[in-house]
Amino acid sequence: MGLPEPSAAALATVDSKGRPSVRIILLRGFDERGFAFYTNLGSRKGMDLERRDGAPAALCFYWPPLARQARIEGIASQVTEQEADEYWATRPRGHQVAAYASEQSRPLAGGRAELEARYAEWDRKLPASGIPRPPFWSGFRLAPDSIEFWEGRENRLHERVLYRREGTHWSVSALYP
C-alpha cells in the first residue's frame, strides 16, 4: 500500500510567548544526530526555532493506511552552512526560485498575482543553474529526546512503545493505549 508523501510530518514549535504552532513539513534527512528539514529562516517556524540555540520542537508522522504513527520530541538546532548548501543544491531550480520569491509567512497584500509576479521577476534575475542559497534559507535538525511508536490495534488496544534518551543510551517502555 503506497503512501502519497511518507516523509510528511506535523512539526510543532512554540513562540517566544509559549504559544504553540503546528504545520506540515517534509523530512529531508535523518541520521544518528536527528531529523532534518529546511525552511526560510524568516518563516514562523524558522523564527520559533532560531530564537535561541536549541529550541524545543516535536514531529509527528502519521500513516493512516498502515495504522502507524511515530512521535518525536527533542531540541532543534540549525544545520551547518555546508549541510544547508548541499541540500539546497539538490532542489529543483523552480523550488530555488520560489524560495527567493516568497517572503514566507508574511502577509501577501497583492494575492496570488503578486506572488506570481515576484516569482517571474526572480526567475529572470537568477542564473539558469548554480543558484546560490540565500542567507535567509537554511535547515534545522531535531535531536530526539524521545521517540514513540504507535500501532493501531483492534478494540483500541493499540501498541505503544516509548524510547527515551538517557545520556548515551535509550530506555524502552510499553505504554497503555
Side-chain angles (χ1 to χ4, degrees):
M1 181 176 301
L3 297 171
E5 191 63 74
S7 68
L11 169 68
T13 61
V14 293
D15 69 12
S16 60
K17 295 181 180 176
R19 292 178 300 215
S21 179
V22 67
R23 79 287 283 151
I24 302 299
I25 57 96
L26 298 177
L27 182 70
R28 292 306 188 197
F30 64 93
D31 58 23
E32 69 281 351
R33 300 170 297 164
F35 302 84
F37 55 92
Y38 294 83
T39 190
N40 182 316
L41 297 174
S43 69
R44 184 169 175 186
K45 67 182 161 298
M47 290 188 295
D48 286 353
L49 295 172
E50 202 179 30
R51 284 185 296 117
R52 58 185 178 275
D53 188 32
L59 290 168
C60 183
F61 295 88
Y62 179 49
W63 305 286
L66 303 176
R68 301 283 194 284
Q69 174 177 217
R71 297 178 56 230
I72 302 158
E73 298 175 1
I75 300 297
S77 299
Q78 198 167 335
V79 301
T80 67
E81 295 289 315
Q82 180 180 342
E83 289 172 297
D85 287 342
E86 287 172 1
Y87 178 70
W88 174 264
T90 70
R91 292 170 57 93
R93 184 180 185 282
H95 295 193
Q96 293 174 335
V97 173
Y100 275 89
S102 176
E103 294 181 19
Q104 194 172 351
S105 299
R106 288 181 177 67
L108 181 59
R112 183 95 193 150
E114 179 183 332
L115 178 61
E116 290 177 0
R118 286 180 58 88
Y119 181 91
E121 178 184 348
W122 279 108
D123 191 33
R124 283 189 303 277
K125 290 187 340 188
L126 292 168
S129 64
I131 296 174
R133 179 178 61 87
F136 57 81
W137 192 95
S138 189
F140 291 91
R141 178 175 292 102
L142 177 64
D145 295 326
S146 67
I147 302 175
E148 179 187 327
F149 296 97
W150 174 92
E151 181 179 336
R153 296 286 179 95
E154 189 174 335
N155 295 320
R156 301 194 57 80
L157 297 177
H158 309 309
E159 186 83 17
R160 292 177 66 194
V161 179
L162 177 65
Y163 291 77
R164 190 171 296 281
R165 186 186 303 271
E166 296 177 357
T168 59
H169 297 85
W170 290 86
S171 66
V172 182
S173 57
L175 301 174
Y176 276 100

